[in-house]
Amino acid sequence: MREPCFGSPGETQGMGGWLLAIFSISVANLGMRVLSRFIAAATDVSQFPVPSVPEIAFLGRSNVGKSSVINSLVGSKLARTSSTPGRTRSINFFEIRWPGKPRPELIFADLPGYGYAKISREISQEWPRFIEPYLQERPTLALCVALIDVNVPPQDSDRTLLGFLNSSGRDFLLVATKSDRLSNNQLSTAMRSLGEQYPAARLLPYSSKTGAGRDQLWKEIRRVAEERAGASQTAAQN
Ligand code: GDP
């Protein structure tokens, strides 16, 4: 098991001037750290951790930038980034804790990347065995974060995933990765086009490189997790 490591959801402050901007970043780092720890890798339903706190699942094609998004959220190299597509064949679970709190608040579930021809046979075997059961039946799954590379034209595999999430009734968020590679104008056009293709999805542009979108994604994650935790408390009281 890896040692816990420190990161920051990085709540920004609207301050003018670069000196103040630097100050606000260091304040944010002091104020909003998270502790994260790898807890399990599952290739079978029997290996899933016992359901406990709300879970956030991260899904996307290989190379979409999924590991980079997870690492940028927690501020450390928790998930592996790799130039070898489809290397991660398990669901990897990480617990997320706020400093000073005794128990984890959240679990991040990093799902296997999909969509490369040479691994499509494996994928077709893996989905029914443990990925679909996870997405359909996991009682603590609170939010699916579906990642799409905003620089790449929409792929059939992405449409399939989004269709699956739509019909599963799961709350999901569509995160458009690598937004730093586009100009502001190009990004607006690309986001509009994604909105037209996936009208039901909540959309968020994201760059692990610059940190753009990180605060908004943390806000969504925390909101969903708090709602879920509140609902379980109410259920326990009744
Ligand atoms: P994964 O296979 O989905 O986990 O993708 P990785 O996180 O390993 O990233 C795949 C490649 O995209 C790597 O070469 C990363 O450096 C690059 N990448 C990931 N996120 C970003 C980003 O926000 N901006 C840019 N420019 N490149 C990125």
Side-chain angles (χ1 to χ4, degrees):
M1 241 177 222
R2 292 183 213 168
E3 286 301 305
C5 36
F6 296 88
S8 160
E11 296 279 276
T12 51
Q13 328 237 326
M15 295 179 179
W18 65 270
L19 267 177
L20 286 177
I22 289 169
F23 179 68
S24 73
I25 290 165
S26 60
V27 167
N29 280 337
L30 284 175
M32 294 298 299
R33 286 185 304 182
V34 294
L35 295 161
S36 51
R37 191 168 69 102
F38 170 78
I39 47 170
T43 52
D44 190 272
V45 174
S46 64
Q47 296 166 343
F48 293 168
V50 174
S52 56
V53 291
E55 292 181 15
I56 312 294
F58 293 84
L59 304 108
R61 281 188 308 118
S62 301
N63 222 34
V64 71
K66 183 159 54 67
S67 309
S68 302
V69 167
I70 294 173
N71 290 342
S72 82
L73 283 171
V74 299
S76 70
K77 293 212 159 143
L78 187 63
R80 280 192 287 185
T81 49
S82 161
S83 52
T84 314
R87 196 173 61 160
T88 314
R89 314 293 344 131
S90 49
I91 301 182
N92 296 324
F93 294 90
F94 305 96
E95 66 177 31
I96 306 293
R97 219 154 33 92
W98 315 142
K101 292 282 175 99
R103 275 183 290 275
E105 303 283 325
L106 289 172
I107 286 178
F108 281 1
D110 180 6
L111 273 75
Y114 56 85
Y116 271 82
K118 65 179 174 185
I119 56 162
S120 60
R121 204 164 59 85
E122 285 173 58
I123 285 283
S124 60
Q125 287 169 354
E126 285 167 1
W127 271 73
R129 197 176 77 239
F130 69 104
I131 300 173
E132 231 171 84
Y134 176 80
L135 291 172
Q136 282 178 332
E137 291 157 25
R138 186 77 172 163
T140 40
L141 177 56
L143 177 69
C144 295
V145 178
L147 308 172
I148 289 200
D149 186 336
V150 75
N151 303 270
V152 174
Q155 308 283 306
D156 281 347
S157 51
D158 292 328
R159 276 189 279 271
T160 306
L161 174 72
L162 269 289
F164 176 85
L165 290 176
N166 250 329
S167 61
S168 73
R170 289 288 187 191
D171 189 11
F172 71 94
L173 183 65
L174 186 53
V175 168
T177 61
K178 308 186 192 179
S179 65
D180 58 277
R181 290 191 178 161
L182 297 180
S183 69
N184 283 346
N185 277 346
Q186 288 170 323
L187 183 60
S188 306
T189 308
M191 293 305 290
R192 218 176 11 253
S193 152
L194 274 177
E196 281 159 14
Q197 286 167 66
Y198 305 112
R202 303 206 301 288
L203 280 172
L204 182 64
Y206 198 97
S207 167
S208 303
K209 206 168 166 183
T210 66
R214 193 174 56 159
D215 291 350
Q216 291 92 323
L217 183 50
W218 262 119
K219 239 179 233 166
E220 282 284 335
I221 290 172
R222 294 176 78 133
R223 184 182 61 75
V224 168
E226 276 160 20
E227 270 173 26
R228 188 52 88 95
S232 331
Q233 250 175 13
T234 313
Q237 281 160 6
N238 292 333

